[in-house]
Amino acid sequence: GRTTPFLPATPIRVTPDGRADVVAEDLMAPNGMALPPDERTLYLSECGRSQILAFDVGADGTLSNRRVFAGLP
């Protein structure tokens, strides 16, 4: 079979006033994001590295403290 390589991607946040900001870099095939009800942590599935990342979400919507939340087999 033929495999398609994962390509790097850059998620972008668009503010209500239309400004677009890069929120994370060096992601391989990000696919799906989730926020819990308190909206303090963003979870992002990174398929290209078989892991789920977590980011702290600031009051202004910026992301910080990138970390691996879970590795996937």
Side-chain angles (χ1 to χ4, degrees):
R2 193 175 150 180
T3 355
T4 304
F6 289 111
L7 299 175
T10 305
I12 297 171
R13 173 179 62 103
V14 178
T15 62
D17 65 357
R19 191 180 77 238
D21 298 314
V22 171
V23 293
E25 297 188 40
D26 186 34
L27 296 174
M28 295 301 289
N31 181 19
M33 293 181 265
L35 280 170
D38 68 7
E39 297 185 355
R40 292 183 178 182
T41 306
L42 174 75
Y43 298 97
L44 183 141
S45 170
E46 189 181 21
C47 295
R49 292 191 176 112
S50 299
Q51 60 189 9
I52 298 172
L53 300 175
F55 297 85
D56 294 338
V57 180
D60 61 354
T62 57
L63 302 181
S64 62
N65 192 24
R66 175 182 174 157
R67 60 204 177 273
V68 175
F69 176 75
L72 306 171

